Amino acid sequence: MSGVVHMKRGVLKRHQKYNRYRFYGEPVVKACVENGANYIDISGEPQFLEGMYLKYNGKAAEKGVYVIGSCGFDSVIADMGVIYTRDKLKGTLTAVESFLKVKSGPEGSCVHDGTWNSAVYGLAEQDNLRKLRKEIGYSPVPVVGAKLKRRGFAFYSQEFKEYCLPFMGSDVSVVKRSQRYLHTELQETPVQYGAYVNIGGLGSLIKLMFAGILFFLLVKFSFGRKLLTKYPAFFSAGFFTKDGPTQKQMDETSFTMTFFGEGYSEGQDPQKGKPNVKICTEVKGPEPGYVATPIAMVQAAVSLLEDVTCLPKQGGVYSPAAAFSKTKLIDRLNEGGVEFSVISNPEV
């Protein structure tokens, strides 16, 4: 044990300003698998999450250990939100788009720079992520129903009356992993998914586009990455800081994730014709990073402990919906203050 502690201290000294899971996560996963302990995390780093699947899925299955990533905000919300939308549609859900909106009070909101650093190194490692996925050899997820069209880099949403951008987090990759599992293992109809974030008016769009261009230019070079991680507040216009939000900022911040689903009514063949039914659902809750995330993580852990008969039959490395789609996790989240609801019922 002392050797492990010493190693961690050495790593901490070199990487203390970087994101946790990329540098510290694997030893914890490995220890859990080897010692028969279930594992839950709140990682939003696809390279870490999928790397753990490649390295430990087989070993976890042999040990009967469940390793479940992305159980914090926002991927567990997106992943279970798709499941909730599917279950509320009387028919076959084939596509969903989600829109995340974060509302803050007079003092605004901010996020600790750990998330910023994750984005910096995640984008810098895109080539390695592609190589990892090639090594895993994922089976393609079939497209059922009309193909979900990708939206542009920036677009105006008539539903929200504001501009939106594609969400740069891990939601799409996490949901795709879940849908692949549910299709291949449980023969369920896979759902296509697109994730977006609401950013507000034209002024916010222009400001964010300039910041985004600078970010993508700098992240390609080691010197640029050093600048981005050393001065997160400057390059993010104060949204990411080394101190994180104040208590007042957290108290005044909330989120809403809206899901627009489409599919085919009961008796309608989803392989023929256009979608003929739509549904809108919503998940809302308190400040996402420091309030909603602990709620989601704890309730996922409770489901792991108490809904044993509803989990996959064998251990392994799972995404949230792959592990929890048959459990009472959504009910537990509702009771904990992260509320799932139907905004508009399916209409043919």
Side-chain angles (χ1 to χ4, degrees):
M1 181 63 73
S2 61
V4 175
V5 173
H6 178 74
M7 178 191 71
K8 285 184 178 179
R9 286 174 180 169
V11 173
L12 180 62
K13 186 176 181 180
R14 289 183 290 128
H15 299 302
Q16 59 186 343
K17 61 182 180 297
Y18 300 158
N19 200 57
R20 296 176 297 275
Y21 291 101
R22 180 179 299 276
F23 301 105
Y24 314 140
E26 183 175 353
V28 182
V29 173
K30 182 180 179 181
C32 287
V33 172
E34 290 179 348
N35 291 280
N38 293 328
Y39 167 97
I40 278 177
D41 72 34
I42 57 173
S43 174
E45 302 171 69
Q47 189 172 355
F48 168 77
L49 296 164
E50 297 177 44
M52 296 305 95
Y53 174 83
L54 176 64
K55 291 185 178 182
Y56 297 102
N57 185 56
K59 295 177 183 177
E62 291 174 7
K63 287 276 192 175
V65 170
Y66 293 94
V67 176
I68 308 171
S70 304
C71 289
F73 186 88
D74 49 78
S75 291
V76 73
I77 306 301
D79 212 11
M80 297 307 294
V82 172
I83 297 300
Y84 179 81
T85 305
R86 180 200 68 182
D87 292 346
K88 292 300 180 181
L89 182 71
K90 293 181 179 179
T92 303
L93 183 71
T94 57
V96 172
E97 290 181 321
S98 70
F99 291 79
L100 171 64
K101 183 177 180 65
V102 177
K103 183 179 179 181
S104 57
E107 294 191 9
S109 62
C110 69
V111 180
H112 193 274
D113 69 338
T115 302
W116 171 264
N117 294 334
S118 176
V120 170
Y121 287 94
L123 286 171
E125 295 283 339
Q126 283 297 303
D127 288 342
N128 289 331
L129 178 57
R130 282 188 283 267
K131 291 177 182 177
L132 172 64
R133 288 172 173 170
K134 187 175 181 180
E135 187 177 355
I136 292 172
Y138 285 129
S139 59
V141 181
V143 174
V144 177
K147 187 174 183 179
L148 182 63
K149 295 180 180 179
R150 289 186 177 183
R151 297 180 183 254
F153 171 73
F155 59 94
Y156 186 78
S157 168
Q158 292 295 337
E159 292 87 355
F160 297 102
K161 306 301 180 186
E162 59 186 6
Y163 287 92
C164 302
L165 296 174
F167 184 67
M168 299 300 291
S170 59
D171 290 4
V172 172
S173 65
V174 170
V175 171
K176 192 170 185 178
R177 285 176 57 212
S178 292
Q179 293 302 315
R180 179 183 289 108
Y181 172 84
L182 295 173
H183 173 69
T184 57
E185 299 297 326
L186 303 182
Q187 290 72 54
E188 296 180 358
T189 301
V191 179
Q192 304 168 71
Y193 177 67
Y196 303 95
V197 58
N198 299 32
I199 60 170
L202 184 60
S204 297
L205 175 64
I206 294 172
K207 181 180 178 181
L208 193 58
M209 286 182 69
F210 276 111
I213 291 170
L214 183 60
F215 181 90
F216 281 105
L217 287 174
L218 290 174
V219 81
K220 294 180 179 180
F221 309 99
S222 60
F223 175 71
R225 292 192 290 274
K226 289 179 181 178
L227 286 176
L228 289 169
T229 55
K230 188 173 183 179
Y231 304 107
F234 175 80
F235 288 105
S236 68
F239 189 71
F240 293 95
T241 71
K242 294 184 178 295
D243 296 326
T246 64
Q247 184 62 52
K248 185 171 179 57
Q249 284 178 316
M250 288 191 287
D251 292 342
E252 295 176 343
T253 301
S254 61
F255 80 90
T256 302
M257 188 176 284
T258 306
F259 298 81
F260 296 99
E262 66 177 24
Y264 297 76
S265 58
E266 292 177 319
Q268 180 76 19
D269 186 351
Q271 298 290 25
K272 297 179 181 179
K274 296 180 179 180
N276 68 336
V277 64
K278 294 184 178 182
I279 184 174
C280 178
T281 63
E282 180 182 86
V283 183
K284 62 181 180 179
E287 190 279 330
Y290 300 89
V291 184
T293 286
I295 292 171
M297 179 182 63
V298 169
Q299 297 309 321
V302 172
S303 287
L304 185 57
L305 291 171
E306 297 190 0
D307 301 339
V308 178
T309 59
C310 303
L311 297 171
K313 293 182 180 179
Q314 66 176 12
V317 179
Y318 293 98
S319 50
F324 296 123
S325 66
K326 309 300 181 185
T327 70
K328 298 179 181 179
L329 177 56
I330 291 176
D331 293 336
R332 298 183 194 284
L333 289 171
N334 273 316
E335 292 172 2
V338 177
E339 302 173 1
F340 292 66
S341 61
V342 176
I343 301 303
S344 66
N345 287 312
E347 296 180 358
V348 178

